[in-house]
């Protein structure tokens, strides 16, 4: 069981949850309030959903041996566009208006993903540089769209996306579930997953083997843009406002962290969608834990960094071996040590 | 070979961009130079009607580095500065730091290189300004701080600080709370949503509030966490507070946006903001006033962003070498829900 690639991520998540349980047993209590389930676990899923979705797209990009630093900016742009369009409408709750706004911002997000994909696959730029361009420029674009303001919308329909509930659960959880199932099926029930892994391992060899690596790369970057766009919509609709400056700030780092904690190799060629899901949940649980336990704001980031360090160390096989070996040598009988030197 | 070609192409395009950029800036300079004599003649003809304009024979160039556009308050502040600069006839070079100190330092350095007449800026955080302010001083460019202070011990590095007294704002918030709960026999549980960690308003609004509520031992802050002055964070943190603490009586938010996010969290928890949980907030932006007039925020301490006119006056005084006070405080008020309902139509931001 220890050998299973999901063992350590699951163990860490379990440890975090256990800590919360010991600290405050109420953590796991879920009650019905206003006809909706209400509790910390629901919060984690609800607030974690944008991160999970972004991390899903990031997983595929990283599996290709690439990276996408622009997701945070795409999140901001998508939120800004949809809120701007909705705020211009006369009846902000009209279905047609909201659907149009969602459609336009999703389309823009896909185009932004395509931009990244073209830079990387056709012009052969290093992914980290290619996506850095959009990361820096995108936030400016988001502010231009929003005119440097926080756009507040009062649309019940739009608000449903990030804060509404379906069958007593936050609606965003269903979006996450749909995206997760979609990615899992696409990568594990079709050959696409294999293509991605093979391109991640060796693009040239894959091309020679007949895989159209450019097309796959373009598609994966576009999908990553799509994921970021959806996350942007959820985030902005959750608070019914778009904040070009802060929406999705540092999301790229959280997403990459979630992917790595989940056991996907940054070298590409090996990925785990379930691992990413767990990785993102670990990050969100950690954030919630910090708020609940009253860690002083000045040291929040230090605590976060420390936990992440421990998570990464625990997952490193060499580190575990080193610890175990150390522990073992100390328990060798003295005679054996002597014998070895004879 | 192909790669080399690609690289060459890139290099060429970058160089092209650079030359274009250079061309632009020199053109800009020319155009401002062109404008300068024009305004000079204008002011000469206007001397009879306007005395203050007569003293400056050349357009004063003001470099202003703004924190960002993190809230409606900041937007109103930016607009006030831009509008009053136009009114005063200054050439305003505006730069948005997007909440990053390094951007702001870069902006100030570029102002120094452009040899602006006066630099004004709202520091993102309190510390770490000595080096760049020293550079400005060495270049002989006076610096004015707006809205937020720096913790530098060398006060000769800047001419004056125009802005709100954040400690006083915290005290006003605390005072209202002490008055409201002066008859309380049971402990009153307060949760606090702090601003960006390390920023002057967060530090001072907390300090002033703590100082005043210490009078009444029943008033206790049971949880305090940063909400980064944003709505999303305010909502997320408040949601956790509501789970972790069963009996929250009062919420003190360091700005309206966090309070607005928290209101959504409180409503989602099935409680009534303003009744089940009393909410105190600072700033007084439009959305905050709307919430206050609906009774969702009980008390707002205003933090006036419209400091543009006062800033322009100070810039002119500094430029003309007049003595300016080291501290200029903006005019501010406090509003209960009732006041907010009455005042809402008159609000400019």
């Amino acid at each position: 069981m220890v050998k299973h690639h999901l063992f350590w991520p699951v163990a860490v998540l379990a440890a975090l949850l256990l800590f919360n349980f010991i600290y405050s047993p109420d953590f796991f209590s879920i009650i019905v309030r206003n006809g909706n389930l209400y509790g910390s676990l629901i919060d984690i899923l609800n607030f974690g959903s944008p991160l999970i979705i972004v991390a899903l797209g990031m997983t595929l990009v990283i599996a290709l041996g690439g990276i996408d630093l622009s997701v945070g900016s795409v999140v901001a742009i998508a939120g800004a566009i949809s809120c701007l369009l909705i705020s211009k409408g006369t009846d902000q709750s009209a279905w047609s208006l909201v659907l149009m706004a969602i459609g336009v911002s999703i389309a823009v997000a896909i185009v932004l993903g395509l931009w990244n994909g073209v830079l990387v696959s056709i012009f052969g730029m290093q992914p980290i540089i290619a996506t850095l361009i959009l990361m820096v420029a995108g936030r400016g674009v988001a502010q231009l769209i929003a005119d440097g303001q926080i756009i507040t919308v009062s649309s019940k329909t739009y608000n449903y996306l990030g804060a509404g509930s379906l069958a007593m659960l936050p609606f965003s959880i269903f979006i996450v579930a749909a995206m997760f199932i979609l990615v899992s099926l696409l990568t594990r029930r079709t050959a696409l997953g294999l293509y991605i892994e093979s391109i991640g391992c060796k693009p040239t060899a894959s091309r020679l083997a007949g895989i159209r690596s450019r097309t796959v790369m373009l598609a994966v970057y576009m999908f990553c843009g799509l994921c970021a766009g959806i996350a942007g919509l959820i985030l902005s609709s959750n608070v019914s406002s778009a904040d070009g400056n802060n929406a999705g700030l540092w999301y790229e780092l959280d997403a990459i962290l979630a992917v790595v904690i989940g056991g996907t190799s940054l070298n590409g060629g090996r990925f785990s969608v379930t691992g990413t899901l767990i990785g993102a949940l670990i990050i969100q649980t950690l954030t919630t834990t910090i708020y609940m336990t009253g860690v002083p704001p000045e040291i929040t980031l230090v605590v976060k960094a420390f936990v992440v360090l421990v998570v990464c160390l625990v997952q490193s096989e060499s580190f575990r071996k080193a610890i175990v070996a150390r522990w073992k040598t100390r328990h060798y009988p003295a005679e054996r040590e002597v014998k070895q030197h004879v | 070979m192909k790669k080399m070609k690609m690289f060459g192409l890139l290099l060429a395009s970058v160089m092209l961009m650079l030359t274009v950029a250079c061309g632009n800036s020199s053109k800009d300079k020319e155009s401002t130079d062109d404008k300068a004599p024009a305004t000079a003649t204008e002011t000469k003809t206007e001397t009879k009607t306007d005395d203050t304009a007569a003293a400056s024979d050349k357009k004063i160039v003001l470099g202003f580095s703004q924190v960002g556009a993190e809230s409606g308050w900041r937007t109103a502040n930016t607009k006030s500065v831009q509008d009053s600069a136009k009114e005063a006839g200054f050439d305003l070079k505006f730069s948005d730091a997007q909440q990053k100190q390094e951007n702001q330092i870069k902006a100030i350095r570029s102002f120094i290189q452009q040899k602006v007449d006066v630099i004004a800026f709202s520091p993102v955080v309190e510390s770490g300004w000595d080096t760049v302010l020293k550079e400005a001083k060495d270049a002989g460019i006076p610096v004015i701080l707006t809205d937020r202070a720096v913790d530098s011990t060398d006060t000769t590095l800047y001419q004056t600080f125009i802005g709100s007294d954040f400690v006083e704002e915290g005290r006003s918030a605390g005072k209202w709370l002490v008055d409201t709960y002066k008859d309380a026999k049971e402990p009153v549980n307060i949760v606090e949503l702090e601003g960006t960690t390390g920023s002057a308003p967060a530090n001072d609004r907390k300090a002033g509030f703590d100082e005043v509520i210490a009078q009444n031992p029943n008033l206790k802050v049971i949880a305090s966490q940063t909400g980064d002055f944003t709505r999303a964070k305010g909502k997320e943190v408040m949601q956790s507070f509501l789970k972790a603490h069963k009996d929250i009586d009062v919420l003190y938010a360091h700005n309206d946006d966090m309070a607005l996010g928290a209101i959504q969290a409180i409503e989602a928890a099935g409680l009534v903001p303003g009744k089940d949980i009393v909410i105190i907030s600072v700033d007084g932006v439009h959305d905050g006033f709307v919430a206050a007039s609906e009774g969702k925020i009980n008390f707002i301490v205003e933090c006036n962003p419209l400091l543009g006119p006062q800033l322009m006056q100070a810039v002119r005084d500094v430029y003309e070498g007049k003595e300016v006070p080291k501290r200029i405080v903006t005019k501010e008020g406090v509003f209960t829900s009732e006041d907010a309902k009455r005042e809402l139509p008159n609000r400019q931001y």
Side-chain angles (χ1 to χ4, degrees), chain A residues 97-123:
Chain A
L97 177 70
V98 172
L99 287 179
M100 188 270 291
I102 291 175
V104 170
S105 41
I106 294 273
V108 170
I110 293 177
V111 170
L112 292 174
L114 178 69
W115 160 265
N116 283 332
V118 168
L119 288 185
V120 173
S121 71
I122 297 181
F123 295 125

PDB file of all heavy atoms in Angstrom, chain A residues 97-123:
ATOM      1  N   LEU A  97     -28.348  37.041 -20.791  1.00  0.00           N
ATOM      2  CA  LEU A  97     -27.197  37.916 -20.549  1.00  0.00           C
ATOM      3  C   LEU A  97     -26.088  37.154 -19.832  1.00  0.00           C
ATOM      4  O   LEU A  97     -24.912  37.189 -20.227  1.00  0.00           O
ATOM      5  CB  LEU A  97     -27.638  39.119 -19.712  1.00  0.00           C
ATOM      6  CG  LEU A  97     -26.515  40.080 -19.321  1.00  0.00           C
ATOM      7  CD1 LEU A  97     -26.025  40.827 -20.542  1.00  0.00           C
ATOM      8  CD2 LEU A  97     -26.983  41.047 -18.258  1.00  0.00           C
ATOM      9  N   VAL A  98     -26.472  36.435 -18.767  1.00  0.00           N
ATOM     10  CA  VAL A  98     -25.469  35.724 -17.978  1.00  0.00           C
ATOM     11  C   VAL A  98     -24.792  34.642 -18.816  1.00  0.00           C
ATOM     12  O   VAL A  98     -23.558  34.510 -18.812  1.00  0.00           O
ATOM     13  CB  VAL A  98     -26.113  35.114 -16.713  1.00  0.00           C
ATOM     14  CG1 VAL A  98     -25.134  34.215 -15.992  1.00  0.00           C
ATOM     15  CG2 VAL A  98     -26.594  36.214 -15.791  1.00  0.00           C
ATOM     16  N   LEU A  99     -25.610  33.908 -19.581  1.00  0.00           N
ATOM     17  CA  LEU A  99     -25.030  32.857 -20.414  1.00  0.00           C
ATOM     18  C   LEU A  99     -24.091  33.447 -21.462  1.00  0.00           C
ATOM     19  O   LEU A  99     -23.015  32.914 -21.726  1.00  0.00           O
ATOM     20  CB  LEU A  99     -26.135  32.044 -21.093  1.00  0.00           C
ATOM     21  CG  LEU A  99     -26.894  31.101 -20.153  1.00  0.00           C
ATOM     22  CD1 LEU A  99     -27.980  30.355 -20.915  1.00  0.00           C
ATOM     23  CD2 LEU A  99     -25.943  30.104 -19.498  1.00  0.00           C
ATOM     24  N   MET A 100     -24.482  34.589 -22.028  1.00  0.00           N
ATOM     25  CA  MET A 100     -23.638  35.248 -23.021  1.00  0.00           C
ATOM     26  C   MET A 100     -22.314  35.661 -22.366  1.00  0.00           C
ATOM     27  O   MET A 100     -21.228  35.422 -22.906  1.00  0.00           O
ATOM     28  CB  MET A 100     -24.398  36.476 -23.560  1.00  0.00           C
ATOM     29  CG  MET A 100     -23.760  37.177 -24.745  1.00  0.00           C
ATOM     30  SD  MET A 100     -22.647  38.464 -24.233  1.00  0.00           S
ATOM     31  CE  MET A 100     -23.791  39.670 -23.538  1.00  0.00           C
ATOM     32  N   ALA A 101     -22.396  36.255 -21.173  1.00  0.00           N
ATOM     33  CA  ALA A 101     -21.189  36.703 -20.479  1.00  0.00           C
ATOM     34  C   ALA A 101     -20.271  35.517 -20.197  1.00  0.00           C
ATOM     35  O   ALA A 101     -19.051  35.585 -20.399  1.00  0.00           O
ATOM     36  CB  ALA A 101     -21.567  37.413 -19.181  1.00  0.00           C
ATOM     37  N   ILE A 102     -20.882  34.421 -19.719  1.00  0.00           N
ATOM     38  CA  ILE A 102     -20.082  33.234 -19.417  1.00  0.00           C
ATOM     39  C   ILE A 102     -19.432  32.709 -20.689  1.00  0.00           C
ATOM     40  O   ILE A 102     -18.241  32.413 -20.721  1.00  0.00           O
ATOM     41  CB  ILE A 102     -20.968  32.147 -18.756  1.00  0.00           C
ATOM     42  CG1 ILE A 102     -21.396  32.604 -17.357  1.00  0.00           C
ATOM     43  CG2 ILE A 102     -20.222  30.819 -18.679  1.00  0.00           C
ATOM     44  CD1 ILE A 102     -22.356  31.668 -16.666  1.00  0.00           C
ATOM     45  N   GLY A 103     -20.245  32.650 -21.770  1.00  0.00           N
ATOM     46  CA  GLY A 103     -19.727  32.155 -23.047  1.00  0.00           C
ATOM     47  C   GLY A 103     -18.556  32.980 -23.546  1.00  0.00           C
ATOM     48  O   GLY A 103     -17.512  32.440 -23.920  1.00  0.00           O
ATOM     49  N   VAL A 104     -18.707  34.294 -23.509  1.00  0.00           N
ATOM     50  CA  VAL A 104     -17.650  35.174 -24.018  1.00  0.00           C
ATOM     51  C   VAL A 104     -16.372  34.995 -23.187  1.00  0.00           C
ATOM     52  O   VAL A 104     -15.272  34.840 -23.732  1.00  0.00           O
ATOM     53  CB  VAL A 104     -18.098  36.655 -23.993  1.00  0.00           C
ATOM     54  CG1 VAL A 104     -16.922  37.575 -24.292  1.00  0.00           C
ATOM     55  CG2 VAL A 104     -19.214  36.878 -24.993  1.00  0.00           C
ATOM     56  N   SER A 105     -16.509  34.978 -21.861  1.00  0.00           N
ATOM     57  CA  SER A 105     -15.283  34.911 -21.060  1.00  0.00           C
ATOM     58  C   SER A 105     -14.608  33.553 -21.194  1.00  0.00           C
ATOM     59  O   SER A 105     -13.376  33.473 -21.192  1.00  0.00           O
ATOM     60  CB  SER A 105     -15.538  35.275 -19.597  1.00  0.00           C
ATOM     61  OG  SER A 105     -16.722  34.722 -19.146  1.00  0.00           O
ATOM     62  N   ILE A 106     -15.419  32.488 -21.331  1.00  0.00           N
ATOM     63  CA  ILE A 106     -14.814  31.169 -21.549  1.00  0.00           C
ATOM     64  C   ILE A 106     -14.073  31.152 -22.885  1.00  0.00           C
ATOM     65  O   ILE A 106     -12.950  30.655 -22.997  1.00  0.00           O
ATOM     66  CB  ILE A 106     -15.910  30.071 -21.541  1.00  0.00           C
ATOM     67  CG1 ILE A 106     -16.538  29.950 -20.163  1.00  0.00           C
ATOM     68  CG2 ILE A 106     -15.345  28.742 -22.007  1.00  0.00           C
ATOM     69  CD1 ILE A 106     -15.871  29.044 -19.203  1.00  0.00           C
ATOM     70  N   ALA A 107     -14.712  31.753 -23.912  1.00  0.00           N
ATOM     71  CA  ALA A 107     -14.077  31.787 -25.231  1.00  0.00           C
ATOM     72  C   ALA A 107     -12.757  32.545 -25.163  1.00  0.00           C
ATOM     73  O   ALA A 107     -11.739  32.108 -25.714  1.00  0.00           O
ATOM     74  CB  ALA A 107     -15.022  32.442 -26.244  1.00  0.00           C
ATOM     75  N   VAL A 108     -12.759  33.683 -24.476  1.00  0.00           N
ATOM     76  CA  VAL A 108     -11.529  34.467 -24.347  1.00  0.00           C
ATOM     77  C   VAL A 108     -10.458  33.645 -23.621  1.00  0.00           C
ATOM     78  O   VAL A 108      -9.285  33.627 -24.019  1.00  0.00           O
ATOM     79  CB  VAL A 108     -11.796  35.787 -23.596  1.00  0.00           C
ATOM     80  CG1 VAL A 108     -10.495  36.488 -23.252  1.00  0.00           C
ATOM     81  CG2 VAL A 108     -12.670  36.700 -24.435  1.00  0.00           C
ATOM     82  N   ALA A 109     -10.875  32.942 -22.562  1.00  0.00           N
ATOM     83  CA  ALA A 109      -9.912  32.133 -21.808  1.00  0.00           C
ATOM     84  C   ALA A 109      -9.288  31.070 -22.704  1.00  0.00           C
ATOM     85  O   ALA A 109      -8.071  30.816 -22.642  1.00  0.00           O
ATOM     86  CB  ALA A 109     -10.602  31.481 -20.607  1.00  0.00           C
ATOM     87  N   ILE A 110     -10.109  30.456 -23.579  1.00  0.00           N
ATOM     88  CA  ILE A 110      -9.578  29.428 -24.480  1.00  0.00           C
ATOM     89  C   ILE A 110      -8.599  30.060 -25.473  1.00  0.00           C
ATOM     90  O   ILE A 110      -7.533  29.510 -25.758  1.00  0.00           O
ATOM     91  CB  ILE A 110     -10.735  28.704 -25.209  1.00  0.00           C
ATOM     92  CG1 ILE A 110     -11.549  27.903 -24.194  1.00  0.00           C
ATOM     93  CG2 ILE A 110     -10.191  27.780 -26.282  1.00  0.00           C
ATOM     94  CD1 ILE A 110     -12.757  27.204 -24.777  1.00  0.00           C
ATOM     95  N   VAL A 111      -8.948  31.248 -25.970  1.00  0.00           N
ATOM     96  CA  VAL A 111      -8.052  31.933 -26.901  1.00  0.00           C
ATOM     97  C   VAL A 111      -6.719  32.245 -26.214  1.00  0.00           C
ATOM     98  O   VAL A 111      -5.646  32.088 -26.805  1.00  0.00           O
ATOM     99  CB  VAL A 111      -8.711  33.228 -27.437  1.00  0.00           C
ATOM    100  CG1 VAL A 111      -7.702  34.069 -28.199  1.00  0.00           C
ATOM    101  CG2 VAL A 111      -9.893  32.882 -28.315  1.00  0.00           C
ATOM    102  N   LEU A 112      -6.777  32.662 -24.950  1.00  0.00           N
ATOM    103  CA  LEU A 112      -5.537  32.943 -24.220  1.00  0.00           C
ATOM    104  C   LEU A 112      -4.702  31.672 -24.071  1.00  0.00           C
ATOM    105  O   LEU A 112      -3.476  31.702 -24.184  1.00  0.00           O
ATOM    106  CB  LEU A 112      -5.855  33.537 -22.839  1.00  0.00           C
ATOM    107  CG  LEU A 112      -6.473  34.940 -22.882  1.00  0.00           C
ATOM    108  CD1 LEU A 112      -6.882  35.381 -21.485  1.00  0.00           C
ATOM    109  CD2 LEU A 112      -5.491  35.941 -23.470  1.00  0.00           C
ATOM    110  N   GLY A 113      -5.395  30.538 -23.815  1.00  0.00           N
ATOM    111  CA  GLY A 113      -4.695  29.261 -23.756  1.00  0.00           C
ATOM    112  C   GLY A 113      -4.058  28.934 -25.098  1.00  0.00           C
ATOM    113  O   GLY A 113      -2.918  28.456 -25.166  1.00  0.00           O
ATOM    114  N   LEU A 114      -4.798  29.242 -26.162  1.00  0.00           N
ATOM    115  CA  LEU A 114      -4.285  28.987 -27.514  1.00  0.00           C
ATOM    116  C   LEU A 114      -3.023  29.822 -27.764  1.00  0.00           C
ATOM    117  O   LEU A 114      -2.036  29.338 -28.322  1.00  0.00           O
ATOM    118  CB  LEU A 114      -5.367  29.345 -28.536  1.00  0.00           C
ATOM    119  CG  LEU A 114      -4.988  29.183 -30.010  1.00  0.00           C
ATOM    120  CD1 LEU A 114      -4.825  27.709 -30.336  1.00  0.00           C
ATOM    121  CD2 LEU A 114      -6.046  29.801 -30.913  1.00  0.00           C
ATOM    122  N   TRP A 115      -3.059  31.039 -27.310  1.00  0.00           N
ATOM    123  CA  TRP A 115      -1.889  31.945 -27.429  1.00  0.00           C
ATOM    124  C   TRP A 115      -0.665  31.294 -26.787  1.00  0.00           C
ATOM    125  O   TRP A 115       0.407  31.227 -27.396  1.00  0.00           O
ATOM    126  CB  TRP A 115      -2.258  33.274 -26.780  1.00  0.00           C
ATOM    127  CG  TRP A 115      -1.112  34.145 -26.373  1.00  0.00           C
ATOM    128  CD1 TRP A 115      -0.535  34.214 -25.142  1.00  0.00           C
ATOM    129  CD2 TRP A 115      -0.399  35.084 -27.191  1.00  0.00           C
ATOM    130  NE1 TRP A 115       0.476  35.132 -25.135  1.00  0.00           N
ATOM    131  CE2 TRP A 115       0.585  35.692 -26.385  1.00  0.00           C
ATOM    132  CE3 TRP A 115      -0.501  35.473 -28.528  1.00  0.00           C
ATOM    133  CZ2 TRP A 115       1.458  36.663 -26.863  1.00  0.00           C
ATOM    134  CZ3 TRP A 115       0.370  36.448 -29.006  1.00  0.00           C
ATOM    135  CH2 TRP A 115       1.334  37.022 -28.187  1.00  0.00           C
ATOM    136  N   ASN A 116      -0.841  30.799 -25.563  1.00  0.00           N
ATOM    137  CA  ASN A 116       0.264  30.110 -24.891  1.00  0.00           C
ATOM    138  C   ASN A 116       0.721  28.910 -25.710  1.00  0.00           C
ATOM    139  O   ASN A 116       1.915  28.689 -25.913  1.00  0.00           O
ATOM    140  CB  ASN A 116      -0.170  29.606 -23.507  1.00  0.00           C
ATOM    141  CG  ASN A 116      -0.214  30.716 -22.485  1.00  0.00           C
ATOM    142  OD1 ASN A 116       0.518  31.691 -22.611  1.00  0.00           O
ATOM    143  ND2 ASN A 116      -1.062  30.568 -21.490  1.00  0.00           N
ATOM    144  N   GLY A 117      -0.264  28.137 -26.180  1.00  0.00           N
ATOM    145  CA  GLY A 117       0.036  26.924 -26.927  1.00  0.00           C
ATOM    146  C   GLY A 117       0.810  27.219 -28.199  1.00  0.00           C
ATOM    147  O   GLY A 117       1.762  26.515 -28.540  1.00  0.00           O
ATOM    148  N   VAL A 118       0.404  28.285 -28.902  1.00  0.00           N
ATOM    149  CA  VAL A 118       1.096  28.645 -30.139  1.00  0.00           C
ATOM    150  C   VAL A 118       2.539  29.024 -29.843  1.00  0.00           C
ATOM    151  O   VAL A 118       3.468  28.578 -30.521  1.00  0.00           O
ATOM    152  CB  VAL A 118       0.346  29.808 -30.850  1.00  0.00           C
ATOM    153  CG1 VAL A 118       1.196  30.394 -31.959  1.00  0.00           C
ATOM    154  CG2 VAL A 118      -0.975  29.313 -31.400  1.00  0.00           C
ATOM    155  N   LEU A 119       2.727  29.844 -28.798  1.00  0.00           N
ATOM    156  CA  LEU A 119       4.092  30.263 -28.452  1.00  0.00           C
ATOM    157  C   LEU A 119       4.960  29.049 -28.141  1.00  0.00           C
ATOM    158  O   LEU A 119       6.121  28.978 -28.540  1.00  0.00           O
ATOM    159  CB  LEU A 119       4.076  31.206 -27.239  1.00  0.00           C
ATOM    160  CG  LEU A 119       3.531  32.604 -27.476  1.00  0.00           C
ATOM    161  CD1 LEU A 119       3.688  33.431 -26.226  1.00  0.00           C
ATOM    162  CD2 LEU A 119       4.239  33.283 -28.634  1.00  0.00           C
ATOM    163  N   VAL A 120       4.382  28.089 -27.423  1.00  0.00           N
ATOM    164  CA  VAL A 120       5.180  26.950 -26.977  1.00  0.00           C
ATOM    165  C   VAL A 120       5.376  25.936 -28.108  1.00  0.00           C
ATOM    166  O   VAL A 120       6.506  25.546 -28.417  1.00  0.00           O
ATOM    167  CB  VAL A 120       4.518  26.258 -25.764  1.00  0.00           C
ATOM    168  CG1 VAL A 120       5.257  24.985 -25.405  1.00  0.00           C
ATOM    169  CG2 VAL A 120       4.496  27.194 -24.572  1.00  0.00           C
ATOM    170  N   SER A 121       4.260  25.532 -28.756  1.00  0.00           N
ATOM    171  CA  SER A 121       4.390  24.390 -29.677  1.00  0.00           C
ATOM    172  C   SER A 121       4.831  24.820 -31.073  1.00  0.00           C
ATOM    173  O   SER A 121       5.603  24.124 -31.722  1.00  0.00           O
ATOM    174  CB  SER A 121       3.067  23.626 -29.751  1.00  0.00           C
ATOM    175  OG  SER A 121       2.119  24.384 -30.448  1.00  0.00           O
ATOM    176  N   ILE A 122       4.373  25.975 -31.559  1.00  0.00           N
ATOM    177  CA  ILE A 122       4.733  26.355 -32.928  1.00  0.00           C
ATOM    178  C   ILE A 122       6.019  27.172 -32.959  1.00  0.00           C
ATOM    179  O   ILE A 122       6.911  26.918 -33.760  1.00  0.00           O
ATOM    180  CB  ILE A 122       3.562  27.101 -33.588  1.00  0.00           C
ATOM    181  CG1 ILE A 122       2.381  26.135 -33.670  1.00  0.00           C
ATOM    182  CG2 ILE A 122       3.955  27.609 -34.981  1.00  0.00           C
ATOM    183  CD1 ILE A 122       1.159  26.660 -34.308  1.00  0.00           C
ATOM    184  N   PHE A 123       6.150  28.136 -32.034  1.00  0.00           N
ATOM    185  CA  PHE A 123       7.367  28.942 -32.035  1.00  0.00           C
ATOM    186  C   PHE A 123       8.466  28.351 -31.163  1.00  0.00           C
ATOM    187  O   PHE A 123       9.559  28.904 -31.080  1.00  0.00           O
ATOM    188  CB  PHE A 123       7.048  30.373 -31.592  1.00  0.00           C
ATOM    189  CG  PHE A 123       6.154  31.084 -32.558  1.00  0.00           C
ATOM    190  CD1 PHE A 123       4.973  31.655 -32.137  1.00  0.00           C
ATOM    191  CD2 PHE A 123       6.476  31.143 -33.899  1.00  0.00           C
ATOM    192  CE1 PHE A 123       4.133  32.286 -33.027  1.00  0.00           C
ATOM    193  CE2 PHE A 123       5.644  31.779 -34.806  1.00  0.00           C
ATOM    194  CZ  PHE A 123       4.472  32.353 -34.374  1.00  0.00           C
TER     195      PHE A 123
END
